[in-house]
Amino acid sequence: MAPASRIAVVTGASSGIGAATARQLAKAGYRVVLTARRKDRIEALAEELTTAGHSAVAYHLDVTDRAAVDEFATAFQTIAVLVNNAGGALGADPVATGDPADWRAMYETNVIGTLNLTQALLPKLIASGDGVVVVVSSTAGHGTYEGGAGYVAAKHGAHVLAETLRLEIVGQPVRVIEIAPGMVKTDEFALTRFAGDETRAAKVYEGVPDPLTADDVAETITWAVTRPSHVNVDLLVLRPRAQASNTKVHREP
């Protein structure tokens, strides 16, 4: 089936990697469904894409609201691609003083949100005869670092969800792809993590030559999704050249 006749759902599409992925998939010929909590953002993006000649629609959705997710799923008979991108980090406190509310919120969005969408749309993906589930995790899902335990735990959960789903549905016409980015500089990720503290957010990228951009990750996601049906990119880790690991980053004076 040609991409033009297929639907790609992107969660967290109001900014950053989600918005960039929606743009890339639309350019690749998919009919994109943009979901996020910020209705105005996704409606503006849908208008941008349709004005450019692509097919896009906005759907206001909180991925942690299971009833809303189930209602959303009824709009489709089949879908081709689900990009579970909604997530994010809150705080950078050590385990001893971390805020349980932040931990809970990160787990709800990164793991339960991914679970909600995947469960609700998996039958539609199978029905398509050639579906793709993408889980946008993080290098935090494959290693830890001081001050990151809450986010690391959530992203480990997302990683394990993808890995287990792949085992459980082998033989079904659905690929399960995990994309794990390292340091990505977007307008909001670090700013959200540090509750709007621009100084702390800027220090994350201070001196780092060319961190990844949202477009870099979006292009990688689109490449993985558009491989031939028999080719599954189980796990793809991407980092900027300046980042060797979660704790080893080259910074210039």
Side-chain angles (χ1 to χ4, degrees):
M1 195 181 298
S5 64
R6 310 187 73 193
I7 295 170
V9 175
V10 182
T11 70
S14 59
S15 65
I17 293 170
T21 299
R23 291 187 178 98
Q24 291 289 340
L25 288 173
K27 289 177 183 177
Y30 286 92
R31 297 166 56 201
V32 294
V33 178
L34 317 170
T35 76
R37 289 176 295 183
R38 291 181 292 185
K39 188 170 180 283
D40 58 332
R41 293 281 194 97
I42 53 174
E43 286 179 343
L45 179 55
E47 182 177 356
E48 170 197 320
L49 293 173
T50 53
T51 299
H54 305 303
S55 179
V57 63
Y59 193 103
H60 181 229
L61 184 66
D62 179 349
V63 297
T64 68
D65 183 340
R66 184 55 186 257
V69 169
D70 287 342
E71 182 181 351
F72 168 70
T74 64
F76 309 97
Q77 290 187 334
T78 68
I79 68 165
V81 179
L82 167 61
V83 180
N84 287 298
N85 166 73
L90 297 171
D93 296 319
V95 172
T97 57
D99 185 344
D102 285 346
W103 282 54
R104 187 172 294 109
M106 285 187 282
Y107 192 85
E108 285 287 338
T109 305
N110 289 281
V111 184
I112 303 302
T114 296
L115 178 67
N116 285 341
L117 265 293
T118 301
Q119 286 184 337
L121 295 179
L122 187 57
K124 322 288 184 175
L125 289 154
I126 293 171
S128 76
D130 186 17
V132 183
V133 176
V134 178
V135 174
V136 181
S137 63
S138 167
T139 54
H142 301 270
T144 192
Y145 55 92
E146 294 169 288
Y151 181 61
V152 167
K155 285 304 188 183
H156 270 72
H159 161 63
V160 169
L161 187 158
E163 189 175 51
T164 306
L165 177 65
R166 193 180 303 114
L167 294 172
E168 292 173 343
I169 65 169
V170 66
Q172 296 285 359
V174 177
R175 292 179 285 156
V176 181
I177 296 169
E178 179 186 352
I179 304 296
M183 183 178 283
V184 185
K185 186 176 183 179
T186 64
D187 291 337
E188 297 186 336
F189 179 83
L191 200 60
T192 299
R193 183 169 205 169
F194 297 116
D197 187 327
E198 295 182 2
T199 301
R200 289 187 74 189
K203 284 186 178 299
V204 173
Y205 311 103
E206 192 172 70
V208 179
D210 299 319
L212 296 178
T213 67
D215 284 336
D216 292 329
V217 182
E219 288 170 8
T220 302
I221 292 169
T222 303
W223 173 84
V225 165
T226 55
R227 293 311 83 208
S229 298
H230 69 286
V231 178
N232 195 91
V233 181
D234 283 19
L235 169 64
L236 196 158
V237 175
L238 64 156
R239 292 186 173 100
R241 187 175 63 189
Q243 183 183 26
S245 75
N246 289 344
T247 57
K248 182 72 172 181
V249 180
H250 170 67
R251 299 179 188 269
E252 296 179 345

